[in-house]
């Protein structure tokens, strides 16, 4: 099941797809899985699953995956990552060579694989680990020998630790409150008035979902995106200082 959707009609299709998955899982008494969903699609899927009282789980092959499949399980089954049709695949290459994310994705698409069959792509010197739907793995292992002109050897599975998905810059600032306008102003380095303008204009997202409510509280663990400025992970909204402010700890994607 694909998770791609665009616009209002696409949103309706996406919701219908989720409803079909929940109904099919219960009727056939077996798990049903979507393709890999973006963070935005995951945020849109969870309210639908909760409305349907569905027994579901999001999983992308490892704990911190950004792109994840939605698995809908029969009512009395325990959702388990082991049931997800996801393979981790390692592409090994010379450490002196350079492989890029877009090159890996382009190579996989050139094999006729749809985007929602591919999850996260993690790269470090001499190794790339990507996650894909298990049904496409055999063809990739037999057919892919180059990525962007770089010779590679593909194998099923991977060794821990995985390559780091991102690099971050640590940020520590004080905020008046965990309100969205306060946090946005602090992290984006703008005045509170400008932060409010960005929020109202739909330029600020929490967990990939646009939020136009300036008084919305931001919570620890959430991802805050300010278009044109950056993406942040809220790590801690810690101790209230003697002046009534909070010490905010976050990481900015770099």
């Amino acid at each position: 099941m694909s998770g791609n959707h665009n616009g209002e009609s696409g949103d309706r299709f996406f919701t219908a797809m989720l409803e079909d998955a929940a109904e099919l899982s219960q009727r056939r008494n077996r798990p049903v899985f979507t393709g890999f969903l973006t963070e935005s699609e995951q945020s849109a899927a969870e309210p639908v699953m909760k409305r349907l009282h569905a027994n579901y789980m999001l999983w992308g092959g490892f704990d911190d995956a950004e792109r994840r499949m939605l698995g809908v399980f029969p009512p009395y089954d325990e959702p388990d990552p082991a049931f997800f049709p996801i393979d981790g695949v390692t592409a090994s290459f010379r450490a002196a060579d350079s492989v890029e994310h877009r090159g890996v994705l382009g190579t996989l698409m050139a094999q006729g694989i749809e985007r929602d069959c591919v999850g996260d792509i993690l790269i470090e010197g001499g190794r790339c680990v990507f996650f894909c739907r298990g049904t496409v793995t055999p063809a990739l292992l037999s057919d892919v020998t180059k990525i962007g002109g770089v010779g590679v050897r593909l194998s099923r599975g991977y060794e821990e630790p995985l390559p780091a998905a991102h690099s971050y810059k640590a940020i520590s600032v004080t905020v008046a409150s965990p309100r969205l306008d306060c946090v946005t102003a602090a992290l984006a380095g703008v005045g509170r008035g400008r932060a409010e303008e960005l929020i109202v204009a739909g330029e600020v997202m929490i967990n990939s979902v646009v939020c136009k409510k300036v008084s919305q509280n931001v919570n620890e663990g959430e991802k805050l995106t300010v278009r044109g400025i950056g993406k942040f992970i809220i790590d801690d909204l810690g101790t209230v200082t003697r002046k009534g402010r909070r010490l905010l700890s976050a990481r900015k994607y770099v």
Side-chain angles (χ1 to χ4, degrees):
M1 291 188 171
S2 171
N4 296 329
H5 64 295
N6 294 290
E8 185 177 342
S9 61
D11 290 342
R12 288 197 297 267
F13 175 82
F14 183 67
T15 299
M17 179 199 73
L18 298 174
E19 292 170 343
D20 288 346
E23 190 275 332
L24 189 63
S25 174
Q26 187 164 3
R27 178 159 51 87
R28 296 187 177 178
N29 198 36
R30 63 172 178 81
V32 174
F33 303 95
T34 68
F36 287 95
L37 305 179
T38 65
E39 291 180 296
S40 177
E41 289 169 335
Q42 293 167 44
S43 295
E46 292 210 73
V48 178
M49 291 292 100
K50 290 174 181 176
R51 173 174 60 81
L52 296 173
H53 303 289
N55 185 24
Y56 73 97
M57 180 180 186
L58 290 161
W59 179 247
F62 65 106
D63 286 339
D64 296 324
E66 291 189 358
R67 296 182 67 93
R68 297 184 290 177
M69 286 184 177
L70 172 73
V72 188
F73 292 78
Y76 303 107
D77 283 2
E78 183 70 26
D80 190 330
F83 288 107
F84 281 72
I86 298 174
D87 278 340
V89 177
T90 297
S92 302
F93 51 93
R94 297 188 310 166
D97 290 329
S98 177
V99 166
E100 297 182 352
H101 183 283
R102 63 181 179 180
V104 177
L105 188 57
T107 297
L108 300 180
M109 300 298 99
Q111 298 296 312
I113 297 172
E114 295 184 2
R115 182 64 183 94
D116 71 345
C117 287
V118 182
D120 284 17
I121 299 170
L122 312 175
I123 301 173
E124 64 183 8
R127 180 174 72 136
C128 166
V129 177
F130 63 86
F131 294 83
C132 63
R133 184 176 283 274
T135 52
V136 307
T137 305
L140 295 177
L141 295 179
S142 64
D143 296 343
V144 175
T145 59
K146 286 187 176 183
I147 294 175
V150 173
V152 298
R153 180 174 57 83
L154 265 57
S155 57
R156 192 191 302 264
Y158 58 89
E159 293 184 359
E160 298 275 9
L162 286 166
H166 300 283
S167 297
Y168 305 96
K169 176 185 177 182
I171 298 175
S172 182
V173 292
T174 58
V175 294
S177 82
R179 282 171 46 123
L180 182 57
D181 55 349
C182 295
V183 174
T184 299
L187 294 180
V190 299
R192 195 161 165 181
R194 176 56 179 156
E196 182 174 341
E197 291 175 356
L198 290 168
I199 294 165
V200 173
E203 299 296 317
V204 178
M205 294 180 284
I206 298 177
N207 293 335
S208 301
V209 177
V210 171
C211 181
K212 295 185 177 182
K213 186 178 179 182
V214 297
S215 61
Q216 172 77 37
N217 277 348
V218 178
N219 299 305
E220 293 175 0
E222 291 183 328
K223 295 179 181 178
L224 179 71
T225 303
V226 184
R227 288 196 180 102
I229 294 176
K231 183 176 179 180
F232 309 84
I233 299 174
I234 309 301
D235 289 322
D236 188 23
L237 284 165
T239 310
V240 178
T241 69
R242 285 180 294 179
K243 294 184 178 180
R245 296 176 67 84
R246 287 177 177 267
L247 182 61
L248 166 66
S249 297
R251 286 170 288 158
K252 182 179 181 180
Y253 286 73
V254 296

